[in-house]
């Protein structure tokens, strides 16, 4: 008899059953009401399972348009909110699970969203793939075409800059030619400006006709920037600079003069204005218009970053015009007000030469001796640095330079730090370190994916399939509750009819059931409760993860302290004022602490890996599910034995009682079957995702191989870059050392020249005096001869 018919009959015959069971000691009305409620719940659960089948158990390729639209909207929302990784995951899953997706009207919208997401996350190679699909396959008709090309140009310029021009230098030009066919784009002027700069700096390293071609392209690119653009001023400066290189000084002067007249309200405009002023003065010098050049140089404010450069050139004009006293006064002013100027040593040498040329030998001698006294010791310090830097890495050399800041003058540290090649090399090392960190992060992601792929339920990998499993688990939990209720109803129906022998076992079962029910009560039953439990576990593990991260930072700080102590130890080694025995003990203690630090770091890293693994397991849900399932099985086993034990008592019931008992048994059977149907639903979900899981597994394997090859290549590149950076840093030390050697040498030569010139001047005076005395002597001789003759 169908359940609906049974319930209808039960309502009609309820009073009759109540009459028949009066006097039996059983609360029949309660039993009947509980049974009806249990039957209705089982019926409701059956409907819900069918709904789940209708929603989730279907071939993934046959998903409805509504599903596609919903997922695309979700991805767009995530993208708009800046959650680029989440957006990309949703969209790639949508592409992998939609049949004939390349012909879908939203396919290129998805390409744009994925490409832009990867661009925003700085995954440039992946971004290029998706953006080029949009640009080359769909073209200008797509609303995001211009933005996609802007992204591609920016990526090309970044890659080219990162490889110092060693990458695909034609990519930016290729993309730019696409963009130049359209009008108006987000970031149009910025891209024009960046592209023009790229061409200009290519010209710096090119020669002959290639240089001329790059300059011409750069000028044409800069001129495309609208007058209203914020980049117009910088573009004009580059255009004028190109004109100077092309020998078009008058045209360049017109632009520089226009830039000198701008209202420099911000730092960037002020810098351009001052550079234009310097350039104008240099053109005037080229034209030998010295007075005008002097006037222009004086426009540079005293707080300008270029004031020392401007006044150094101004002094050269004074010298050229023979105004030595004015040149000397100007240099005295600069040396007094700009003590940290990069030009100070050159100023001091030039000052000595100016006094020498002006025949002011005492002041020249003083100036040259000041240079010798101030900088001759630097050469010895630099030689010591060169010796100590042998075999060190670039960052260690830089740290050592800063450690010598007390003994090195500020100008020496400035010169050592200003070398762009060292900065670039160290930046490259930093970038490579970041790449290594990304590779390690990628390995962690692959580990997480592996754990996901090895979990019991593969459906949990897919968010929508996971939702289906969670809802199915909620149904199973309620079925377990229903079976417990049905057994309780059976117990109430049989009542005192249970014989003593069976009652003992029943009591044992009920005691065990009570224990398991207490455990079962703590298990979340609904989807919402399960998500709340997962969220609590994740929150607790994330707090632990945060604590471990702070511990890692402290461990890294210990490493910094160790390095600092060792650097100081090396600096003091050989110092006769310090006990070398004491230094030996310090070194041993530091080495012991270094060993302890290494063990501590390894322990923290292992703890971090274990926490991450546990966190992944919690997010996946396998660990909690397995624990829940153990309790469910034990409870189901107890309930099943209790049910069988009660079934033996049915022969003691009256016909009417037996009818009610059979209804309970039918409800139990239906509940058991429905539980099996839920398990079958889980299996169906697993079948649906198996193809995609296999594909994911293959992709993970491929990515794992790529990452392994990448890590190997990265390690080789890191070794080469580390060696190169160290070599560049040592070359920089040698260059700066040579610079100081030349400065001191010039001062020493100046002292010799001063002494020589002073000697020559005295000798000339002596010769003139001797000649005068000889003339006087001859005159006296002549006079004497005349007297004798008289």
């Amino acid at each position: 008899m169908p359940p609906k018919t049974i319930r209808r009959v039960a309502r009609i015959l309820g009073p009759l059953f109540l009459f028949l069971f009066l006097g039996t000691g059983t609360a029949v009305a309660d039993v009947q009401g509980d049974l009806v409620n249990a039957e209705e719940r089982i019926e409701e659960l059956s409907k819900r399972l069918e709904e789940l089948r209708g929603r989730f158990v279907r071939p993934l390729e046959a998903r409805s348009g509504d599903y596609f639209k919903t997922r695309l909207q979700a991805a767009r929302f995530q993208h708009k909110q800046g959650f680029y990784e989440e957006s990309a995951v949703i969209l790639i899953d949508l592409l992998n699970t939609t049949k004939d997706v390349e012909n879908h009207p939203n396919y290129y919208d998805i390409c744009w969203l994925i490409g832009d997401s990867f661009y925003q996350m700085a995954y440039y190679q992946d971004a290029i793939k998706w953006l080029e699909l949009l640009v080359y396959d769909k073209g200008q008709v797509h609303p995001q075409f211009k933005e996609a090309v802007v992204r591609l140009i920016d990526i090309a310029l970044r890659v080219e800059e990162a490889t110092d021009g060693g990458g695909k230098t034609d990519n930016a030009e290729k993309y730019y030619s696409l963009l130049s066919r359209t009008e108006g784009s987000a970031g149009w002027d910025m891209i024009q400006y960046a592209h023009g700069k790229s061409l200009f700096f290519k010209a710096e390293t090119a020669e002959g006709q290639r240089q001329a071609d790059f300059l011409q392209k750069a000028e044409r690119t800069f001129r495309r920037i609208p007058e209203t653009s914020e980049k117009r001023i910088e573009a004009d400066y580059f255009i004028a600079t190109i004109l100077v290189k092309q020998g078009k000084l008058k045209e360049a002067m017109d632009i520089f003069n226009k830039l000198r007249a701008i209202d420099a309200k911000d730092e960037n405009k002020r810098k351009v204005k001052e550079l234009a002023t310097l350039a104008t003065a240099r053109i005037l010098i080229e034209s030998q218009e010295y007075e005008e050049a002097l006037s222009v140089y004086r426009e540079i404010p005293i707080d300008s970053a270029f004031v020392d450069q401007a006044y150094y050139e101004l002094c050269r004009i004074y010298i050229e015009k023979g105004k030595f006293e004015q040149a000397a006064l100007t240099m005295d002013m600069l040396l007094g007000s700009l003590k940290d100027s990069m030009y100070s040593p050159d100023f001091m040498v030039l000052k000595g030469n100016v006094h020498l040329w002006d025949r002011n030998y005492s002041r020249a001698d003083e100036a040259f001796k000041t240079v010798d006294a101030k900088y001759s010791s630097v050469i010895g310090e630099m030689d010591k640095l060169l010796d100590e830097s042998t075999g060190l890495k670039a960052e260690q050399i830089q740290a050592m330079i800063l450690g010598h800041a007390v003994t090195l003058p500020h100008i020496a540290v400035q010169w050592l730090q200003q070398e762009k090649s060292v900065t670039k090399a160290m930046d490259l090392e930093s970038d490579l370190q970041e790449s290594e960190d990304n590779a390690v992060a990628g390995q962690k992601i692959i580990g997480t994916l592996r754990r996901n792929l090895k979990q019991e339920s593969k459906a949990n990998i897919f968010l929508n399939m996971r939702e289906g499993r969670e809802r199915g688990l909620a149904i199973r939990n309620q079925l377990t509750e229903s079976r417990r209720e049905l057994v309780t109803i059976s117990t109430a129906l049989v009542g005192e009819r249970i014989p003593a022998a069976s009652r003992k076992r029943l009591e044992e079962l009920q005691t065990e059931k009570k224990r398991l029910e207490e455990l079962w009560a703590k298990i979340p039953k609904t989807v919402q409760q399960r998500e709340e439990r997962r969220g609590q576990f994740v929150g607790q593990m994330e707090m632990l993860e945060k604590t471990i991260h702070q511990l890692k930072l402290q461990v890294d700080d210990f490493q910094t302290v160790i390095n600092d102590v060792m650097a100081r130890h090396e600096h003091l080694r050989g110092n006769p004022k310090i006990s070398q025995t004491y230094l030996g003990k310090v070194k041993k203690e530091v080495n012991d602490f270094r060993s302890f630090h290494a063990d501590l770091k390894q322990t923290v890293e292992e703890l971090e890996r274990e926490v991450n693994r546990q966190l992944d397991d919690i997010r996946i849900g396998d660990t909690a599910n397995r624990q829940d399932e153990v309790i469910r099985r034990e409870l189901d086993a107890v309930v099943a034995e209790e049910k069988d034990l009660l079934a033996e008592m049915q022969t003691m019931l009256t016909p009417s009682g037996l009818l009610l008992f059979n209804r309970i048994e039918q409800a139990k059977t239906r509940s058991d079957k429905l539980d099996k149907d839920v398990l079958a639903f889980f299996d169906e979900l697993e079948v649906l995702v198996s193809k995609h899981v296999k594909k994911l597994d293959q992709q993970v394997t491929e990515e794992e191989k790529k990452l392994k090859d990448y890590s190997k290549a990265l390690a080789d590149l890191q070794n080469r870059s580390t060696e190169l950076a160290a070599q560049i840093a040592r070359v920089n030390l040698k260059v700066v050392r040579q610079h100081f050697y030349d400065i001191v040498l010039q001062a020493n030569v100046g002292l010799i020249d001063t002494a020589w010139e002073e000697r020559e001047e005295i000798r000339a005076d002596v010769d003139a005096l001797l000649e005068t005395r000889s003339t006087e002597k001859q005159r006296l001789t002549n006079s004497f001869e005349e007297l004798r003759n008289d």
Side-chain angles (χ1 to χ4, degrees):
M1 182 181 298
K4 288 183 179 179
T5 306
I6 292 174
R7 289 197 299 274
R8 191 177 300 114
V9 171
R11 290 191 185 97
I12 295 171
L13 299 180
L16 178 60
F17 286 147
L18 179 61
F19 172 75
L20 292 174
F21 291 133
L22 284 175
T24 63
T26 303
V28 178
D30 292 338
V31 168
Q32 185 180 354
D34 291 342
L35 177 58
V36 170
N37 291 335
E39 289 172 335
E40 289 178 348
R41 276 196 296 273
I42 292 172
E43 179 65 21
E44 177 63 25
L45 292 175
S46 177
K47 290 179 180 179
R48 283 170 54 187
L49 180 59
E50 286 305 310
E51 288 174 1
L52 288 183
R53 276 208 173 94
R55 180 176 174 185
F56 294 100
V57 180
R58 63 178 65 178
L60 294 179
E61 293 80 2
R63 286 176 170 172
S64 68
D66 287 342
Y67 175 82
F68 188 99
K69 181 179 178 181
T70 301
R71 298 294 285 166
L72 179 56
Q73 286 176 344
R76 280 179 169 151
F77 176 78
Q78 298 280 16
H79 180 272
K80 186 176 181 180
Q81 296 298 314
F83 302 124
Y84 300 111
E85 185 174 359
E86 291 82 351
S87 176
V89 168
I90 293 173
L91 292 168
I92 291 173
D93 175 56
L94 196 58
L95 291 179
N96 288 335
T97 57
T98 302
K99 187 176 181 181
D100 198 24
V101 70
E102 290 84 358
N103 294 320
H104 195 281
N106 293 112
Y107 175 68
Y108 291 105
D109 297 334
I110 293 175
C111 291
W112 157 251
L113 290 169
I114 295 176
D116 188 57
S117 294
F118 283 137
Y119 168 81
Q120 300 293 347
M121 293 187 290
Y123 299 155
Y124 294 131
Q125 293 304 318
D126 293 316
I128 289 171
K129 168 188 170 183
W130 294 100
L131 293 173
E132 284 192 340
L133 274 173
L134 167 62
V135 167
Y136 290 116
D137 291 0
K138 192 66 174 175
Q140 300 178 28
V141 297
H142 195 277
Q144 267 76 42
F145 168 79
K146 297 169 190 175
E147 291 179 82
V149 180
V150 167
R151 298 286 190 269
L152 288 168
I153 292 174
D154 186 50
I155 292 170
L157 293 175
R158 287 173 184 268
V159 170
E160 183 179 344
E161 182 180 354
T163 57
D164 199 20
K168 295 184 177 180
T169 56
D170 59 334
N171 276 348
E173 188 76 25
K174 175 182 67 176
Y175 298 137
Y176 183 79
S177 64
L178 280 174
L179 187 61
S180 61
R181 300 171 196 161
T182 65
E183 293 182 2
S185 171
W188 166 269
D189 52 346
M190 298 294 290
I191 291 299
Q192 299 270 2
Y193 179 70
H195 185 57
K197 278 179 62 177
S198 172
L199 293 168
F200 179 85
F201 291 127
K202 283 179 184 177
E204 294 284 289
T205 57
E207 297 179 356
Q209 187 57 45
R210 276 179 56 79
Q211 184 183 64
D213 290 343
F214 279 133
L215 288 175
Q216 188 177 18
K217 288 180 180 178
E219 181 187 354
R220 188 168 60 244
T221 303
F222 285 127
R223 289 189 184 278
R224 289 196 187 106
I225 296 176
E227 291 292 335
T228 56
S229 170
E230 292 183 359
K231 287 295 177 184
R232 183 69 254 176
I233 292 174
E234 290 97 322
D236 282 341
Y237 177 78
F238 274 106
I239 291 170
T241 305
I242 292 170
L243 292 173
V244 170
K245 291 178 179 291
Q246 294 171 341
K248 302 174 183 178
L249 299 184
K250 186 179 182 306
E251 294 178 46
M253 179 75 88
D254 291 339
I255 296 176
F256 284 137
N257 283 331
K258 184 179 75 171
L259 293 174
R260 285 169 57 204
I262 64 174
D263 183 13
K265 294 180 179 179
D266 58 56
E267 187 64 29
N268 192 48
K269 288 182 180 178
R270 178 181 175 181
K271 181 180 178 182
V272 173
K273 181 174 183 175
E274 291 169 0
L275 286 171
T277 303
L278 283 175
T280 302
R282 289 166 184 163
I283 292 175
L284 290 170
I285 292 174
E286 187 76 18
S287 306
Q288 297 185 348
E289 299 177 47
Y290 297 120
E291 290 298 331
E292 290 187 40
L294 286 170
S295 177
V296 172
Y297 274 126
R298 293 190 187 100
E299 293 178 11
I300 300 292
I302 195 66
D303 61 341
S304 168
F306 310 109
V307 66
D308 48 1
Q309 186 176 346
Y311 276 80
Y312 183 79
E313 294 174 14
L314 185 145
C315 288
R316 301 300 304 187
I317 297 176
Y318 284 142
I319 294 167
E320 188 73 25
K321 292 174 69 63
K323 297 180 179 180
F324 299 123
E325 188 63 28
Q326 283 182 273
L329 288 172
T330 303
M331 282 183 282
D332 282 337
M333 179 194 72
L334 283 170
L335 289 169
S337 60
L338 301 173
K339 298 183 186 304
D340 295 331
S341 170
M342 300 286 285
Y343 291 88
S344 291
D346 298 285
F347 275 141
M348 295 170 72
V349 172
L350 183 58
K351 178 183 173 183
N353 283 320
V354 167
H355 288 311
L356 175 61
W357 298 328
D358 200 28
R359 297 181 180 278
N360 193 336
Y361 301 122
S362 61
R363 294 183 68 183
D365 189 72
E366 180 187 354
F368 289 134
K369 284 181 178 178
T370 301
V371 172
D372 182 72
K374 191 168 185 178
Y375 298 121
S376 59
S377 62
V378 177
I379 300 171
E381 284 294 325
M382 298 293 293
D383 288 336
K384 186 178 179 182
L385 275 173
L386 279 166
D387 290 340
E388 293 177 354
S389 66
T390 304
L392 297 182
K393 295 180 180 180
E395 63 269 18
Q396 293 173 315
I397 295 174
Q398 292 296 91
M400 188 173 62
I401 289 169
L402 294 176
H404 282 69
V406 176
T407 52
L408 285 178
H410 181 71
I411 182 65
V413 179
Q414 274 188 304
W415 282 356
L416 286 167
Q417 290 183 306
Q418 74 160 350
E419 179 56 42
K420 291 183 179 178
S421 59
V422 179
T423 305
K424 268 196 169 185
M426 293 188 68
D427 286 345
L428 176 58
E429 280 198 282
S430 176
D431 291 341
L432 290 174
Q433 181 59 50
E434 186 177 345
S435 297
E436 183 183 10
D437 294 342
N438 289 337
V440 171
Q443 192 61 54
K444 288 182 179 179
I445 292 172
I446 286 177
T448 300
L449 287 171
R450 283 289 181 209
R451 285 192 290 275
N452 272 269
L453 292 170
K454 289 179 180 179
Q455 66 179 300
E456 291 180 19
S457 171
K458 305 298 188 292
N460 279 342
I461 300 172
F462 304 93
L463 293 178
N464 56 319
M465 294 292 108
R466 177 175 173 172
E467 181 186 351
R469 269 193 61 83
E470 288 293 327
R471 292 183 180 279
L473 284 170
I475 290 175
R476 282 203 79 196
N477 290 334
Q478 292 182 55
L479 286 171
T480 298
E481 294 283 338
S482 296
R483 285 193 291 275
R484 286 174 49 228
E485 291 175 4
L486 289 170
V487 169
T488 300
I489 293 171
S490 296
T491 304
L493 182 64
V494 173
E496 300 297 328
R497 299 175 183 274
I498 302 174
S502 299
R503 183 175 296 280
K504 181 180 179 182
R505 179 55 186 161
L506 182 62
E507 289 173 352
E508 291 174 354
L509 289 174
Q510 288 176 340
T511 300
E512 178 64 11
K513 185 172 74 171
K514 183 178 180 181
R515 182 186 71 82
L516 292 170
E517 283 176 339
E518 289 176 355
L519 296 175
W520 178 253
K522 299 177 182 178
I523 294 175
K525 309 299 188 303
T526 66
V527 174
Q528 182 179 354
Q529 289 172 347
R530 289 173 59 79
E531 283 300 319
E532 288 175 355
R533 179 180 67 176
R534 182 181 290 112
Q536 290 172 356
F537 286 167
V538 168
Q540 292 168 1
M541 294 303 291
E542 285 179 344
M543 286 295 294
L544 181 57
E545 187 181 38
K546 184 178 180 180
T547 302
I548 292 174
H549 178 69
Q550 292 172 344
L551 183 59
K552 281 184 68 179
L553 293 178
Q554 293 175 357
V555 171
D556 291 340
D557 288 341
F558 291 159
Q559 182 65 57
T560 303
V561 172
I562 292 172
N563 292 339
D564 185 52
V565 172
M566 288 304 294
R568 292 177 182 274
H569 176 275
E570 292 300 313
H571 184 59
L572 294 172
R573 191 176 59 180
N575 189 329
K577 296 180 180 180
I578 304 295
S579 168
Q580 298 304 303
T581 303
Y582 170 74
L583 287 178
K585 290 180 180 179
V586 170
K587 185 173 183 179
K588 182 180 182 306
E589 289 181 8
V590 172
N591 285 332
D592 290 343
F593 190 77
R594 180 178 282 171
S595 176
F596 167 74
H597 172 268
D599 293 340
L600 179 62
K601 185 175 182 179
Q602 182 178 356
T603 302
V604 172
E605 288 173 350
E606 289 175 356
L607 181 60
E608 183 183 37
R609 284 193 292 270
E610 177 61 22
V611 169
N612 287 334
R613 188 187 67 77
Q614 292 288 346
L615 193 54
D616 287 337
D617 287 344
I618 290 171
R619 289 193 175 108
I620 291 167
D622 264 3
T623 302
N625 288 344
R626 282 193 293 269
Q627 294 171 349
D628 295 349
E629 191 60 28
V630 169
I631 296 172
R632 182 208 305 280
R633 286 175 182 173
E634 290 181 3
L635 182 59
D636 281 348
V638 170
V639 169
E641 186 177 349
E642 186 179 8
K643 167 180 171 292
D644 292 339
L645 188 61
L646 292 171
E648 296 174 3
M649 307 297 110
Q650 59 183 312
T651 56
M652 303 177 185
L653 296 173
T654 63
S656 300
L658 184 60
L659 179 62
L660 190 58
F661 188 85
N662 287 336
R663 276 184 58 194
I664 297 172
E665 290 299 304
Q666 287 178 0
K668 291 177 183 177
T669 302
R670 181 163 173 71
S671 176
D672 291 340
K673 181 180 181 304
L674 197 53
D675 190 68
K676 291 179 181 179
D677 289 345
V678 174
L679 294 176
F681 167 69
F682 291 160
D683 291 339
E684 289 167 340
L685 291 180
E686 295 299 311
V687 171
L688 286 175
V689 302
S690 60
K691 181 177 69 173
H692 301 284
V693 169
K694 185 177 180 181
K695 186 176 180 180
L696 276 174
D697 188 56
Q698 291 173 346
Q699 290 175 342
V700 170
T701 301
E702 291 172 4
E703 289 301 320
E704 200 168 22
K705 183 178 181 304
K706 287 179 184 177
L707 186 59
K708 189 175 180 180
D709 294 341
Y710 172 75
S711 297
K712 182 180 178 183
L714 181 62
D716 293 340
L717 185 57
Q718 279 181 313
N719 290 334
R720 291 200 300 272
S721 70
T722 299
E723 293 173 5
L724 178 61
Q727 290 174 11
I728 292 173
R730 280 184 54 78
V731 168
N732 184 38
L733 279 172
K734 291 178 181 178
V735 168
V736 173
R737 185 261 183 205
Q738 186 62 39
H739 195 164
F740 278 105
Y741 178 82
D742 293 341
I743 290 289
V744 173
L745 180 61
Q746 289 175 44
N748 289 331
V749 170
L751 286 169
I752 295 171
D753 287 344
T754 301
W756 179 264
E757 290 293 331
E758 191 173 11
R759 172 191 173 279
E760 286 297 307
E761 190 170 294
I762 293 171
R763 182 178 176 180
D765 291 341
V766 170
D767 288 345
L769 180 60
L770 290 174
E771 185 177 351
T772 300
R773 288 181 178 179
S774 178
T775 303
E776 289 295 327
K777 182 180 179 182
Q778 186 64 42
R779 187 179 298 123
L780 287 172
T781 301
N782 292 339
S783 297
F784 180 71
E785 288 294 330
E786 288 176 0
L787 287 172
R788 286 182 63 189
N789 291 334
D790 290 342

